[in-house]
Amino acid sequence: MSKRMVLITIILLLSINSAFSSEIWITSNNSKIFYSKERYQLLKIDPKVNVFKFYYQVIQRTPKPELERIFNFLRENNIKVAIEVPGLTWVDHGIGYGVEGFGPSFFQKDLMNRIHDANGYVNYFAIDEVLWYAHYNEKTHIQYNINDIADQVSKNIDEYYSLFPHAQIGIIEPLSQIYQKDKFSGIQQFIDEFNKRSKYALKFINYDVLWSSDFKRVYDNLINFSTGNDLTYGVIFNDNSNANPKLWMENARDNIKAFYKNQKQIPEQIIYQSWNKSPYMNFYVSNSDSLGSLPEYASKIMSK
């Protein structure tokens, strides 16, 4: 083998190993999959799923015995737990009521007690788009001051840490839309103010991608931004539309392919997630209409 071929092989192997060293997250808004044989399909996903991400609503509506079985299954298979949670408190029938990123005043304590009573555990709390919905998005008519958002989120976080003090806290934000408004200055202000107020510093940031945007430029800036703030950076792979399951998955694969084209820097956290009804199937690896088929597809794209 020539020296050139040896060098190409080494570079390829390093690229693949980098992808496999990323932490793979997956989620489902259907807790019933854990009562069927489909739960074992989660263990067949390759690369291995490291983190299962709960929507907080799933925990709220799942009876304690069933929730305990879910946590036991995840624990037995060494799968970490992340929970996507609101960081702000709404005013009943007033500011923030029913808006994403907000919850009722009793929310944090109630959710933590539900998890604790089910012998659950939490490795990550992902704060759901508080900056976008409480400051940047004019449609919500809220536009809180960023310092006030940081103050309120830091206080609510204390309730999460009261029972799970070793969990990491991070944020999810639609960075494409925010970048268009002020680059990363608002995000930077929030991180600085949050870390001043809380004894639990932010540890990660997840990019909810607007796939029709210039996401590569935003991602390149995210890498530098995260490095400067000692944050782990992640990308959420999905489709932004409400398309039918087959089209949703086709779009998600196209988005993955577009993201990794000429992309050398692999996200440290790779999250496969849908906030829509599609896809209907979650963990089946061999079915191209299942969310669980995306990690293997992405790995093949990365290795080309």
Side-chain angles (χ1 to χ4, degrees):
M1 184 182 291
S2 68
K3 290 182 179 179
R4 175 180 169 81
M5 288 302 298
V6 170
L7 180 60
I8 291 173
T9 302
I10 291 172
I11 293 172
L12 179 61
L13 288 173
L14 288 173
S15 172
I16 295 172
N17 286 336
S18 173
F20 288 163
S21 66
S22 301
E23 199 171 52
I24 307 297
W25 297 28
I26 199 167
T27 191
S28 170
N29 57 12
N30 177 16
S31 62
K32 292 182 179 179
I33 56 176
F34 286 101
Y35 318 147
S36 69
K37 292 182 179 179
E38 186 175 352
R39 68 184 183 274
Y40 295 110
Q41 296 294 316
L42 176 63
L43 309 180
K44 296 181 180 180
I45 294 174
D46 185 25
K48 180 185 184 300
V49 170
N50 308 107
V51 182
F52 180 79
K53 182 178 180 182
F54 282 95
Y55 298 106
Y56 73 86
Q57 297 94 330
V58 171
I59 291 174
Q60 286 180 320
R61 66 175 179 245
T62 303
K64 176 185 170 182
E66 297 173 3
L67 190 59
E68 188 169 2
R69 283 196 290 271
I70 295 172
F71 277 116
N72 286 341
F73 174 81
L74 295 172
R75 181 184 288 109
E76 288 166 3
N77 290 286
N78 298 312
I79 297 174
K80 297 177 183 178
V81 168
I83 304 179
E84 185 174 306
V85 292
L88 295 167
T89 302
W90 68 41
V91 176
D92 284 342
H93 303 286
I95 296 175
Y97 187 74
V99 175
E100 187 171 341
F102 288 78
S105 58
F106 61 83
F107 171 83
Q108 290 83 12
K109 187 173 183 179
D110 176 73
L111 187 72
M112 294 307 98
N113 285 338
R114 284 177 181 270
I115 298 169
H116 185 264
D117 292 347
N119 193 31
Y121 60 102
V122 184
N123 302 98
Y124 302 101
F125 289 111
I127 304 299
D128 184 20
E129 305 196 358
V130 290
L131 286 172
W132 176 244
Y133 285 102
H135 179 74
Y136 289 104
N137 190 337
E138 293 90 351
K139 293 180 181 179
T140 63
H141 304 291
I142 298 174
Q143 294 178 297
Y144 279 169
N145 179 281
I146 288 178
N147 289 7
D148 292 338
I149 296 173
D151 186 64
Q152 189 177 143
V153 172
S154 67
K155 290 174 181 175
N156 285 337
I157 289 306
D158 286 343
E159 197 69 58
Y160 295 142
Y161 275 105
S162 63
L163 292 177
F164 302 101
H166 302 297
Q168 292 187 16
I169 191 79
I171 56 174
I172 308 165
E173 290 292 346
L175 298 178
S176 293
Q177 295 92 315
I178 292 175
Y179 188 85
Q180 289 176 351
K181 293 180 178 291
D182 65 8
K183 303 295 190 281
F184 281 91
S185 63
I187 300 279
Q188 185 66 67
Q189 181 183 345
F190 173 80
I191 291 171
D192 291 342
E193 294 300 324
F194 178 92
N195 288 344
K196 283 180 190 176
R197 291 164 166 79
S198 176
K199 56 184 177 181
Y200 308 104
L202 291 171
K203 294 296 185 182
F204 63 91
I205 181 169
N206 288 166
Y207 178 13
D208 177 14
V209 183
L210 179 63
W211 293 106
S212 60
S213 69
D214 186 6
F215 57 82
K216 282 185 176 289
R217 182 174 64 156
V218 177
Y219 178 67
D220 288 342
N221 281 274
L222 172 63
I223 295 170
N224 295 329
F225 177 82
S226 301
T227 302
N229 284 280
D230 197 25
L231 297 171
T232 299
Y233 57 92
V235 173
I236 297 172
F237 291 94
N238 57 15
D239 175 32
N240 297 138
S241 77
N242 289 309
N244 65 68
K246 184 173 288 293
L247 180 58
W248 192 99
M249 287 296 298
E250 289 176 4
N251 291 340
R253 285 190 289 270
D254 287 343
N255 293 336
I256 289 170
K257 191 172 183 179
F259 181 88
Y260 287 117
K261 184 178 181 180
N262 301 323
Q263 181 57 254
K264 297 178 181 178
Q265 196 76 23
I266 306 302
E268 295 172 314
Q269 294 171 333
I270 300 174
I271 303 103
Y272 299 99
Q273 172 174 0
S274 172
W275 285 281
N276 303 315
K277 291 182 179 180
S278 294
Y280 296 157
M281 282 182 284
N282 297 273
F283 299 153
Y284 287 105
V285 179
S286 59
N287 193 312
S288 61
D289 291 338
S290 169
L291 191 67
S293 68
L294 292 180
E296 183 176 0
Y297 176 83
S299 289
K300 289 179 180 178
I301 293 296
M302 282 184 267
S303 63
K304 286 183 179 179

